[in-house]
Amino acid sequence: LRPWKAGDRFKPLGLPGTKKVSDYLNDIKISGPAKKKQLVLCSGTDIICLVGSRIDHRYRVTNSTKTIYFVSTL
């Protein structure tokens, strides 16, 4: 779990291709102060999700999914 960095890219579930995190946050009209607080959950160098917003298409639940992890941020 870390703050997003300039140049971070992910593949938003339901959208074609990859997108920069900064562009995605602009597209969904997140304000400047909220952007700075946005966290990403990572596995190695892959972004799994933007916390509270959207998961990466590659980490979606499918019929072949064997393990699901639940992450809580309190």
Side-chain angles (χ1 to χ4, degrees):
L1 188 63
R2 65 168 175 82
W4 70 277
K5 298 185 254 183
D8 277 350
R9 296 185 79 80
F10 79 122
K11 188 173 181 176
L13 182 65
L15 297 177
T18 63
K19 195 158 195 105
K20 284 186 178 181
V21 171
S22 60
D23 291 342
Y24 176 77
L25 295 173
N26 285 337
D27 290 350
I28 63 169
K29 308 212 182 324
I30 299 295
S31 67
K35 259 191 225 180
K36 291 179 183 177
K37 293 180 182 178
Q38 179 64 58
L39 297 174
V40 293
L41 181 63
C42 300
S43 175
T45 59
D46 288 346
I47 292 177
I48 295 172
C49 73
L50 274 61
V51 176
S53 183
R54 176 92 41 124
I55 69 168
D56 187 292
H57 182 81
R58 296 166 288 191
Y59 292 91
R60 72 193 183 283
V61 175
T62 66
N63 289 335
S64 62
T65 300
K66 294 179 182 165
T67 306
I68 297 174
Y69 293 98
F70 291 92
V71 178
S72 175
T73 56
L74 299 175

